[in-house]
Amino acid sequence: MTTAAEALVSQLEELGVEVVFGTCGHTNIAVLDALSRSSVRFVIARHEQAAAHAADGYARASGRPGVVLVHVGPGLTNTITGAMTAALDSVPLVVISGDIPSYYRGRHPHQEINLHADADQAALFRPFAKRVWDVHRPEDLGRAVERAFWTATTGRPGAVLVNVPMDVFSRPASPYPRRSVAGPPGLSAGTAERIAAELAGAERPLIYVGGGLREASAALIALAEHLDIPIAHSLMAKGTVPDTHPLQLGMTGFWGRELTNAYAREADVVLAVATRFAETDASSWDPRFTWDFSRSTLIQIDLDPAELGRSYPVSIGAVADAGLAIRAVAEAALSHPPVERADLRRRIAASQVFVHDRSEEFPLRPQRILTDLREALPPDTILVTDVGWNKNGVAQCYELPEGGRFITPGGASTMGFGPAAAVGAQLALPERTVVALIGDGGMSAQLPALSMAVEQDAPVLFVVMNNQSHGTISDLQSTFFGSGFGCDFASGPDFAALGVACGAEGHAVRAPRELGTALRQAVTKRRPAVIDVPMVNEPVPTPGHWNIKDIYQGIF
C-alpha cells in the first residue's frame, strides 16, 4: 500500500503525463512530494492562472492533455479563467485541486469557500467544465482520474476537475490500473458520398473549417483541389491550410476579408467542419454581412452534437471526428469528375491582404511589426498571441509560413493568455522557436510568465506591442464615446528592463530598424527574451460586422 498521492503520481506516469503545471499549497504538498520522486516534471507557475494558461499552451502544441495542480480556495478560483479559456476552445485540460479536510466540511476551516452556502468549491467549475469529480475516498481517486483523462480527451475535448480533500491524499491507497479508450467516431460511407455529391453538384461551394481539423489538412486540401472548392476558416483555424494556397479565401467575420465574407454570403453549398460559427466569425449572425443560409445548403460536421444547428439550419448534420470525416468525404469525392474554377482562383490571388509594410514611422505601425516578424522568424515558428492587434491583425493579414503555427484564445478571448501559453508551448516543443506576440496590457496581466520561462529555461520571445493602452477597446470607446477614458495607461513598466530583472534578455526598440535586429539576435541566442516595441494605436480593419456597434448607436 502507498498513499493516494503516490498512487496518483504513478497513475499520471502510466497515462504518459510528462509535465504538470501548478502552484503549491498546504492541501497539495503531499502530491508535490510524490512528484519530486517521479519522472513527471513539475513547473512552478507562481500564479494559478499562469499555470492553467501554460498547461493550455502545452496541450495545444503537443496534442496531449494539459495537467494543472492547484490549492484550495483562492488557488482554485485563480485557476478558473485559464481553465475556462481552455474549455471554450475545446482544449483538453485536467485540473487536480486540493480541498479542505473532508471531516471539516462546512465548519469553515482555513480557506474553505463557505459563507452563505455549504462549501462546494468544485461547483465553481460546473458552468464550463465537461465534468467535475468530488473524491470522497482514497480508493475512488484512481477511477476519478482515469475518467477525467478519458472525458477531457474524447468527444469534444475540454476541461475537467478532480477535487480532492487534502486528507485523502495522505490516506493509504493502491495503484490504479490503466485502461484503454475507444477511438473517435467516423463518418459512414453513405453519408460521406451524400456530402461529396452535394459539393460536386454545387455552383458556388465553400468549405469552412474550424480549429478541430488541423491534423487532416492534407485530406482537406485534396478534397478542395479535386472539386476546386475555396476554403474559408474561423479565427481558430488559421494555419490549417497554408495562407498562400490558391484556394485559401481567409478568415470570415468581423475581422475577416471582403472577398471571404462576400463569397460566404453567396455560397450555395457550405461544408462546415469543426466550427461553432462564433459571433465574431459570423458577423453577429447578421445575414447581410457573412452567412446567409436562407437560400443555400449547410452541411455541418462536429464531434459535439450540441453544435449542429445551433446558429443556422442544417440540411445534413453528422456527429463525427473532423479528421476521419474529411478523409471519408475526400475519398468519396474521387468518384466525381474534377472541377476547375480558374476565375475564382484569380480573384482569390488578387484579394490577398498580407502585410508588407516598410514604414519608417516611430512608434511603429503594427503592420511594420508583423512584417519584421515574418522576415526574421524561422518558418516553423509557433506564434502565440494574446488579444488585440496581435490576435486579430495576425489572423487577418499575417502570412503564416507553411509549417508555422498560430495559437490564440478564441472562445474567451482572454487577455493574459499569450505569455504563459507560450511557455507551455515551448516546453511541449523545445526545439521550435516560440513567440508570445502580446500587447502591453496582456504582458502586464501575466508577469509571472517571465520568471516561469527563465526558471524552466524556455527560450520564449516575448514581443510586446506597446501602445500604452488597451488599444482595441480604447479605439472602440473613442469612436463611439469620444475618449479612451479608463482604457489608456498614464505610464507603463519598462518591459525590457523587467525581462532583465527576471533573468531574461531585454531589448528596448528605439528606432524602426532595431526590431528586426533584436528578433534575429533573440532567435540565435535561444534564451528567454523580452522585446519592447513602441507601437501606434491603430485599429484592425473590420470588413464584417459586430452587434456591439449597433448597441452603442442605440440600434436594437
Side-chain angles (χ1 to χ4, degrees):
M1 296 288 286
T2 61
T3 66
E6 292 167 331
L8 167 63
V9 171
S10 295
Q11 185 178 15
L12 294 179
E13 291 178 314
E14 284 288 315
L15 289 165
V17 174
E18 297 178 355
V19 184
V20 171
F21 300 84
T23 58
C24 64
H26 68 268
T27 60
N28 68 17
I29 55 175
V31 181
L32 292 176
D33 177 67
L35 283 170
S36 71
R37 297 185 296 277
S38 77
S39 63
V40 179
R41 179 179 186 176
F42 181 69
V43 176
I44 303 174
R46 298 172 185 262
H47 191 277
E48 293 82 3
Q49 185 176 340
H53 286 323
D56 182 345
Y58 178 90
R60 298 189 201 215
S62 69
R64 300 188 295 273
V67 183
V68 185
L69 176 67
V70 295
H71 174 55
V72 69
L76 188 64
T77 58
N78 285 343
T79 311
I80 287 174
T81 298
M84 181 186 69
T85 300
L88 294 183
D89 285 347
S90 303
V91 176
L93 196 74
V94 178
V95 179
I96 302 171
S97 63
D99 202 348
I100 54 105
S102 60
Y103 44 83
Y104 283 151
R105 183 180 176 90
R107 296 181 65 182
H108 208 177
H110 184 55
Q111 294 186 309
E112 182 183 41
I113 302 176
N114 176 6
L115 187 59
H116 301 298
D118 289 340
D120 186 8
Q121 70 170 18
L124 300 171
F125 266 54
R126 296 190 191 279
F128 61 83
K130 286 188 72 177
R131 180 68 193 271
V132 169
W133 286 269
D134 256 322
V135 177
H136 300 291
R137 306 182 305 164
E139 53 265 43
D140 294 334
L141 177 58
R143 182 168 58 88
V145 169
E146 178 191 52
R147 295 184 68 201
F149 275 82
W150 285 5
T151 303
T153 57
T154 58
R156 178 177 180 168
V160 297
L161 172 67
V162 180
N163 190 61
V164 188
M166 64 176 293
D167 58 296
V168 169
F169 283 137
S170 297
R171 294 181 187 275
S174 300
Y176 195 80
R178 185 179 180 182
R179 312 293 186 184
S180 61
V181 181
L187 196 66
S188 70
T191 303
E193 172 53 39
R194 185 180 170 193
I195 293 172
E198 288 278 359
L199 293 172
E203 292 186 12
R204 294 178 58 82
L206 174 65
I207 301 174
Y208 181 55
V209 299
L213 193 59
R214 189 169 304 278
E215 300 305 319
S217 58
L220 170 65
I221 291 171
L223 170 62
E225 290 180 343
H226 181 68
L227 298 176
D228 229 23
I229 303 174
I231 303 168
H233 65 78
S234 69
L235 167 73
M236 302 302 293
K238 182 179 175 69
T240 301
V241 174
D243 280 336
T244 53
H245 191 279
L247 290 171
Q248 172 65 280
L249 268 174
M251 189 170 67
T252 62
F254 184 57
W255 288 292
R257 295 180 183 172
E258 291 280 3
L259 177 60
T260 312
N261 284 332
Y263 193 94
R265 284 195 305 273
E266 299 165 6
D268 58 349
V269 176
V270 176
L271 171 59
V273 186
T275 177
R276 59 190 182 90
F277 288 101
E279 182 184 6
T280 53
D281 292 322
S283 292
S284 292
W285 309 288
D286 190 321
R288 296 173 298 169
F289 297 94
T290 302
W291 301 107
D292 181 3
F293 291 103
S294 60
R295 297 179 302 277
S296 59
T297 296
L298 172 60
I299 304 166
Q300 191 172 2
I301 300 173
D302 204 284
L303 258 179
D304 186 352
E307 292 299 339
L308 301 183
R310 180 195 292 274
S311 296
Y312 299 107
V314 174
S315 298
I316 303 175
V319 177
D321 173 81
L324 295 177
I326 208 69
R327 291 185 184 98
V329 175
E331 184 176 350
L334 295 177
S335 64
H336 298 270
V339 178
E340 289 187 9
R341 295 183 174 86
D343 181 62
L344 176 60
R345 288 185 177 229
R346 285 192 290 270
R347 288 178 62 199
I348 292 173
S351 73
Q352 301 288 14
V353 292
F354 301 129
V355 293
H356 300 285
D357 189 287
R358 295 293 177 191
S359 170
E360 290 293 314
E361 298 175 30
F362 196 82
L364 294 178
R365 299 182 67 221
Q367 295 90 338
R368 170 62 192 268
I369 295 174
L370 298 190
T371 298
D372 285 4
L373 283 167
R374 180 67 174 76
E375 293 179 355
L377 298 176
D380 66 347
T381 293
I382 300 172
L383 203 59
V384 184
T385 77
D386 214 82
V387 296
W389 233 106
N390 48 84
K391 179 182 80 169
N392 307 319
V394 168
Q396 182 187 85
C397 58
Y398 183 86
E399 184 183 338
L400 191 70
E402 189 168 358
R405 182 75 188 273
F406 173 67
I407 294 176
T408 196
S413 199
T414 305
M415 180 170 292
F417 168 86
V423 177
Q426 185 73 83
L427 296 180
L429 298 172
E431 74 286 355
R432 300 274 288 273
T433 296
V434 177
V435 173
L437 183 62
I438 48 188
D440 48 317
M443 187 72 253
S444 297
Q446 273 302 316
L447 295 178
L450 289 177
S451 296
M452 181 164 55
V454 172
E455 193 164 40
Q456 299 300 321
D457 196 25
V460 174
L461 278 61
F462 299 91
V463 179
V464 183
M465 300 172 75
N466 192 344
N467 57 10
Q468 293 286 299
S469 174
H470 292 306
T472 299
I473 306 304
S474 179
D475 174 70
L476 198 63
Q477 188 187 34
S478 296
T479 299
F480 292 99
F481 297 96
S483 78
F485 179 79
C487 304
D488 303 324
F489 306 133
S491 63
D494 182 335
F495 290 107
L498 186 60
V500 173
C502 291
E505 301 283 321
H507 303 267
V509 174
R510 295 187 174 86
R513 299 184 182 182
E514 291 183 6
L515 174 56
T517 301
L519 286 167
R520 284 183 281 272
Q521 288 178 357
V523 168
T524 300
K525 286 189 174 182
R526 296 294 293 168
R527 293 194 65 244
V530 180
I531 303 176
D532 192 350
V533 192
M535 182 186 82
V536 296
N537 192 17
E538 186 172 317
V540 180
T542 54
H545 178 70
W546 199 353
N547 176 253
I548 59 172
K549 291 189 173 184
D550 293 340
I551 294 171
Y552 295 143
Q553 297 175 87
I555 303 172
F556 300 101

